[in-house]
Amino acid sequence: MLGVFSSSVVSPPDELVAAGSRTPSPKITSTALVNRFLVNNASAVSIQVGEQAQLAFTHLNESALQPRSFAVKDEIFCLFEGALDNLGSLRQQYGLAKSANEVVLVIEAYKALRDRAPYPANHVVGHLNGNFAFIVFDKSTSTLFVASDQFGKVPLYWGITADGYVAFADDAELLKGACGKSLASFPQGCFFSTTLGGLRSFENPKNKITAVPANDEEIWGAKYKVEGPAVLAATE
């Protein structure tokens, strides 16, 4: 799956901008990135959302246990990859039909967070048990919401294209060829929200997330780490 978003939606992360400047490497534009995805995946579907975003996905080579899905409702677009272990109880919690799948559930959870906000965002994402990564784009508010499960079972990466768009994908090689060193693995157990101020940990919402510059020989420009007891213990 692939989501590409203009600077009017999301500002490119400073750490990834710095990484690309520190070690310049070839990049391509957001349009070229989407075209490359479509060419490499014959069965891919692409959705253009105004000039702000473009989403693409394919069922090609997907895992039977972690399928990819797409849905749109009330101008909320969602790409989802993975499976939720507690989908049944979440359907009841959000008043959904038994036929509702994960991508529909995430849209409803996002709508509840946006419109009623009974719980903090970390509670909403933290209640999703399973292996997953998802990208939500709300066209009505130009809001982006992205998350990865606490164990990082579904791969998710993000980077910056030549024209300054922020791209999210489950394929590291795809972004490596498009974003150069302005590339990082999206940290597990975290979510990114343009409404709530960027990158946060839903496991440890009070803990700071820092970006450590990667070694030059690595494909990554930076590695994101959630500060906390585990990080401190490892450095002692």
Side-chain angles (χ1 to χ4, degrees):
M1 64 179 181
L2 173 67
V4 184
F5 304 92
S6 73
S7 57
S8 65
V9 175
V10 53
S11 298
D14 293 338
E15 302 87 356
L16 299 187
V17 173
S21 301
R22 186 179 67 249
T23 310
S25 50
K27 294 184 177 184
I28 62 175
T29 65
S30 55
T31 300
L33 170 59
V34 174
N35 289 339
R36 180 176 292 180
F37 181 89
L38 296 176
V39 169
N40 292 342
N41 299 281
S43 61
V45 176
S46 175
I47 303 95
Q48 180 78 41
V49 188
E51 297 181 356
Q52 298 175 310
Q54 193 159 357
L55 306 171
F57 76 102
T58 178
H59 292 299
L60 187 67
N61 298 325
E62 73 178 7
S63 166
L65 299 178
Q66 297 178 176
R68 304 183 190 103
S69 51
F70 169 79
V72 56
K73 181 179 180 181
D74 300 332
E75 296 196 311
I76 301 171
F77 297 76
C78 182
L79 286 169
F80 184 97
E81 183 171 346
L84 297 177
D85 299 331
N86 61 336
L87 180 59
S89 61
L90 289 172
R91 287 184 186 127
Q92 293 182 331
Q93 179 180 334
Y94 288 100
L96 299 176
K98 291 183 178 180
S99 59
N101 62 4
E102 282 88 348
V103 69
V104 172
L105 183 282
V106 168
I107 288 178
E108 291 301 325
Y110 168 79
K111 285 178 64 179
L113 176 65
R114 181 195 66 181
D115 300 337
R116 300 192 296 275
Y119 305 107
N122 56 283
H123 284 197
V124 173
V125 183
H127 287 161
L128 306 178
N129 297 331
N131 304 331
F132 65 86
F134 65 77
I135 302 168
V136 173
F137 177 62
D138 185 347
K139 183 183 178 184
S140 65
T141 59
S142 296
T143 297
L144 179 64
F145 193 88
V146 181
S148 173
D149 72 69
Q150 60 181 328
F151 301 112
K153 294 295 186 179
V154 177
L156 186 63
Y157 311 92
W158 57 340
I160 306 170
T161 64
D163 48 349
Y165 279 55
V166 177
F168 296 84
D170 58 356
D171 183 348
E173 290 300 316
L174 176 71
L175 291 192
K176 177 185 176 183
C179 302
K181 280 284 189 175
S182 297
L183 172 66
S185 179
F186 192 86
Q188 61 192 49
C190 292
F191 67 88
F192 180 87
S193 168
T194 53
T195 300
L196 301 174
L199 190 62
R200 306 241 183 124
S201 166
F202 62 79
E203 284 192 291
N204 302 286
K206 295 183 179 180
N207 292 10
K208 181 181 178 181
I209 299 176
T210 57
V212 180
N215 297 326
D216 287 344
E217 64 269 17
E218 297 185 71
I219 69 169
W220 313 116
K223 292 183 178 180
Y224 289 86
K225 295 184 178 181
V226 180
E227 300 288 356
V231 174
L232 294 177
T235 60
E236 291 179 353

